[in-house]
Amino acid sequence: MFTHRHPGHRSPLRFLAQPRDWLTSLLSIAAIASLATPPVTAASLVSPNRPQSLVQASDGQDVNELLLAGQEFVSSGNLSAALRAYRQAAELESDNARIFSAIGYLEARQNNYDAAITAYRRALELEPNVSEFHYALAYSLANAGEYEAAEAEYQATVDLNDRNTNAFLGLGVMRYRQENYEGALAAYREAAALNPDNWQVQESIGSTLLQLERYDEALEVLEAAAELAPDEGRIQVNLGVARLNQEDVEGALTAFNRAVELNPRDGSLLFEVGRLLLSQGEREQALDLLRQASRFLGDRADVHLTLGELLLDNNDSLNAILSLRQAITADPEQPRAHYLLGRALQQRGRTAEAIATLETALELATEQEAEALIEEIQTRLDELD
């Protein structure tokens, strides 16, 4: 699908050193590596297991009947009814940690993470040394965006159970999200020691090594991950990034092509690959992928902004206007989208609209103290006066 048509192509490392503009802004080593971060893709957090049977946990007949009813509701998929039953049981037996654990599980299943956190913390007050409770709390904290607290709970989990691969994986993800890449790598290596054939762990190690700019090691690990999971497109994206940073452009494009073949409807992956292809000057292929990504990710301002910017650079101002308006709908406070829209309107000869749009861009850029953009906008306005 993607072919490299430039025999004299600059090496990625030399290309990475170019001044930052709309095209090369994707090309710093850190930016390239960050396109393949494990928290969102490679190292998905593993949810807690469903709580074990709770009927035996109580001496009260009424409580046991509620617990039994709750389990039946869970089995039938009626989580709201199950939650009501468990909450009634908790009112009757407020010192039963397992009931609060079940409540936390059901709240988390319904993405009510704040409520889940409250329930799991109550369970831990009652039974502080249960590793499963710490793990479940960590998972809910992570999904609530409380990464530092989640890291502490994953650490508590492995302190109590140092054979829990998923807890080490979660610990690594939390450290990664806080940009503690060395700490993340250490946690991922602990997970790999427990389960060396887990491709998610191996990919996470590879992605972290990319962030640390240890490309030789990253390539070796990611190639091993690809052997473990040959049908995982995300691994191919990371593999392509590693090859780019070793100046193997042909190998990188092969990996990106394979990623798209494996995941043709994954909008986020299409966007990542599109940007990477754009960074290597493969504009036609990048444009095709960005258009596809925009159809799958209609609410992503960054997707429409990137597409609109490329269309504008291609002098396709009509379609650029459409994409940039979608970017503004998704994120009205994005000054660059307004700026580019103003430029596109100017290309179409719609000067009054262009000036109004550029003035909006200038106001937003000033509020956000985007000095470089302010200068670009002001220059454009001066030209139109």
Side-chain angles (χ1 to χ4, degrees), residues 87-154:
R87 287 201 177 282
Q88 290 179 47
E91 290 177 3
L92 295 172
E93 197 165 293
S94 59
D95 60 350
N96 189 323
R98 302 288 161 171
I99 296 177
F100 286 100
S101 171
I103 291 171
Y105 170 80
L106 291 170
E107 294 284 15
R109 280 281 303 275
Q110 298 175 87
N111 299 324
N112 299 326
Y113 294 112
D114 288 341
I117 289 167
T118 299
Y120 283 128
R121 281 182 168 152
R122 176 58 179 156
L124 281 165
E125 287 175 3
L126 296 166
E127 293 187 29
N129 294 319
V130 179
S131 65
E132 291 83 357
F133 294 173
H134 285 283
Y135 181 89
L137 176 57
Y139 177 83
S140 294
L141 286 165
N143 279 283
E146 298 184 34
Y147 300 147
E148 185 176 355
E151 179 187 353
E153 292 301 326
Y154 279 122

Side-chain angles (χ1 to χ4, degrees), residues 151 155 171-188 208 211-212:
E151 179 187 353
Q155 183 64 60
L171 182 60
V173 172
M174 292 305 98
R175 289 174 176 173
Y176 193 108
R177 288 181 177 175
Q178 296 174 87
E179 301 183 2
N180 176 7
Y181 300 122
E182 291 287 0
L185 184 61
Y188 291 145
T208 307
Q211 284 285 12
L212 293 169

